[in-house]
Amino acid sequence: MNIGIISSRYAKALMRFAEENGEAGETCQQARTLVKAFDEIPEFHRIIDDKASISDDRKVELLQSALGDDKMTRSLEQFVRLLIHNERINLLRFMLRKFVDDFLNAYDIYLTKLIVPKESPQLEMRLAGIIKKVSGKNVIIETVIRPEMVGGFIVSVGDYRVDASIKTQLDKLKRSFQKKNRRIV
């Protein structure tokens, strides 16, 4: 069984189905939330994949609860039920990742991760404007708050990463100072 091919085919089917229902954007957001839940809670995948002790309806309920207050889109719910019926629910996390990637590519959207010590809507708007101007693509910024950072920010866009944190700048300065002092001695 080739997980990549199967995931890709199901993801494309979900994309078409969600677009037909006018729910593609909302389904993508929910897929991102579920992928995050799978990443943060390793047991979640095992529970969803359990065929013996958890009923199909309970699996849908668990996925719904991972979305919080959002009601699962009709497209996503029917997709999950199809996976359960076809005994492919064990591949859900791979399919959702592929669906998110396909959606972002289809709608020319960059998913950007911003790590900051505290919320900064002005920085987010400025970064979104710069990225859109340079790339011509729309931007979704996913902000992670890390209070332990002294200042600055770290931004990841696709395969590119810019680390403008105070810690990194101080480390560069320290290395530069050490390098210059070695030459003197």
Side-chain angles (χ1 to χ4, degrees), residues 3-184:
I3 293 171
I5 292 173
I6 294 168
S7 298
S8 181
R9 287 180 180 163
Y10 274 88
K12 286 179 184 174
L14 176 58
M15 175 74 90
R16 281 193 305 269
F17 188 58
E19 285 176 337
E20 288 172 6
N21 292 327
E23 299 175 327
E26 190 178 355
T27 301
C28 180
Q29 179 60 40
Q30 291 181 357
R32 287 179 52 222
T33 301
L34 290 175
V35 166
K36 188 175 180 181
F38 282 124
D39 291 344
E40 291 177 356
I41 308 166
E43 294 295 311
F44 190 49
H45 173 67
R46 187 186 57 74
I47 291 168
I48 296 299
D49 190 30
D50 190 348
K51 294 177 180 130
S53 60
I54 298 177
S55 71
D56 296 347
D57 288 334
R58 182 70 181 133
K59 290 177 186 182
V60 174
E61 288 173 13
L62 287 171
L63 290 166
Q64 173 61 57
S65 68
L67 295 174
D69 294 336
D70 278 352
K71 181 171 176 4
M72 190 182 296
T73 62
R74 190 175 73 98
S75 301
L76 186 56
E77 183 177 347
Q78 288 182 352
F79 179 73
V80 167
R81 291 188 185 281
L82 175 72
L83 294 180
I84 292 169
H85 180 265
N86 291 345
E87 296 183 359
R88 298 277 193 201
I89 194 68
N90 62 319
L91 301 176
L92 177 62
R93 63 187 169 148
F94 302 112
M95 293 172 189
L96 293 178
R97 276 193 180 96
K98 180 65 176 147
F99 169 74
V100 169
D101 288 343
D102 289 350
F103 178 86
L104 296 175
N105 287 331
Y107 289 92
D108 283 335
I109 299 172
Y110 268 136
L111 183 59
T112 304
K113 184 175 183 178
L114 175 65
I115 303 172
V116 290
K118 63 179 184 175
E119 282 192 48
S120 179
Q122 295 161 336
L123 177 62
E124 290 178 24
M125 287 177 25
R126 194 162 175 213
L127 279 173
I130 291 168
I131 295 168
K132 183 169 180 141
K133 184 177 179 183
V134 170
S135 68
K137 292 187 174 193
N138 294 315
V139 179
I140 294 176
I141 296 183
E142 186 176 278
T143 303
V144 177
I145 307 296
R146 290 214 181 124
E148 68 273 7
M149 286 179 68
V150 177
F153 63 90
I154 302 170
V155 65
S156 300
V157 182
D159 294 335
Y160 299 102
R161 180 182 167 130
V162 175
D163 188 340
S165 64
I166 301 276
K167 182 185 181 321
T168 300
Q169 300 304 316
L170 289 173
D171 287 345
K172 284 180 184 178
L173 184 63
K174 179 181 174 184
R175 283 192 302 272
S176 172
F177 184 71
Q178 288 172 339
K179 186 177 176 182
K180 285 182 182 181
N181 282 334
R182 279 191 209 124
R183 283 190 244 156
I184 294 172

